[in-house]
Each structure stands twice: as structure tokens, then as C-alpha cells.
Amino acid sequence: QVQLVESGGGLVQPGGSLRLSCAASGFTFSNYYMSWVRQAPGKGLEWVSQITYRGGTTYYADSVKGRLTISRDNAKNTLYLQMNSLNPEDTGLYYCARVEGLSYGMDYWGKGTLVTVSS
């Protein structure tokens, strides 16, 4: 029943911006922390960002601080990732994930949306 569907990826030039969205369904969205995780081509998973229940507190990997902004709209059951000042190292498949409340592991993942930063 739980579904997470990412969208908004695409091709963007270095220095450009994209806004990713994750539509959530099948659970009470506001009861969960949410995260973004990415995987660059040929690389492992990299945790990107996390947001608390109402969006009051956010966390970021050092590699994206100051450039990427996580947010959520609980009324719309949607998670966002605003991506600015993109560089080629940001290229990869971006997943949204639900954070399990006890272990803080990611128990449900979307299929991902591809971001390609290239000139």
C-alpha cells in the first residue's frame, strides 16, 4: 500500500536548478520523517537530506549543504528537494524514502528520478 513516487528529474547544466518531488500515499505522511538518498553512476548510496514531521528541522550531507533544500507539504503528502547550483557530481538517481520511527532506517523507497548535470 505504501507508495513513494519521485518526479522532477532531468538534464540540467552546471549551475542550474531542479526541484524534485515525491508523492506519498498509503500511510500517514505527517507521522514520518522523510529522507532523500542518491546514487551516482557506478557508486553506492549516499544519504542526502532528512526532514522532521512538520519540516521544522532539516539535516543535510556536507556535500549538499547550502545548495539543496528539503521541504514537505503534509497537506499534499509531498516531499520536495530544491536543488540549486548543481554540479556534475550531483548526477545520479535520487530516491525519496520513509524513515522508520524506531530504527531510523529507510523502510520504504521510491523507484527514483534521474538527475543529470552536464553541459
Side-chain angles (χ1 to χ4, degrees):
Q1 293 290 338
V2 173
Q3 288 190 317
L4 299 169
V5 181
E6 302 94 337
S7 63
L11 176 64
V12 63
Q13 292 187 335
S17 299
L18 284 174
R19 191 190 195 197
L20 308 184
S21 297
C22 173
S25 61
F27 66 100
T28 304
F29 182 67
S30 61
N31 284 353
Y32 290 86
Y33 285 25
M34 297 293 295
S35 287
W36 287 98
V37 183
R38 69 186 181 186
Q39 186 171 33
K43 302 293 182 65
L45 295 170
E46 178 189 19
W47 173 82
V48 173
S49 187
Q50 187 165 272
I51 190 167
T52 53
Y53 303 116
R54 297 189 297 173
T57 304
T58 57
Y59 307 89
Y60 298 95
D62 288 342
S63 58
V64 305
K65 284 181 180 176
R67 301 187 300 111
L68 275 59
T69 303
I70 191 171
S71 62
R72 67 193 296 165
D73 187 337
N74 287 345
K76 296 180 179 179
N77 288 350
T78 303
L79 178 73
Y80 302 99
L81 186 67
Q82 178 65 50
M83 310 172 70
N84 298 326
S85 302
L86 289 167
N87 59 64
E89 289 69 40
D90 295 313
T91 293
L93 192 61
Y94 283 71
Y95 302 93
C96 68
R98 191 179 80 169
V99 180
E100 197 278 319
L102 189 59
S103 71
Y104 298 103
M106 318 296 181
D107 60 357
Y108 287 91
W109 298 59
K111 293 182 179 180
T113 185
L114 182 63
V115 172
T116 302
V117 185
S118 177
S119 59

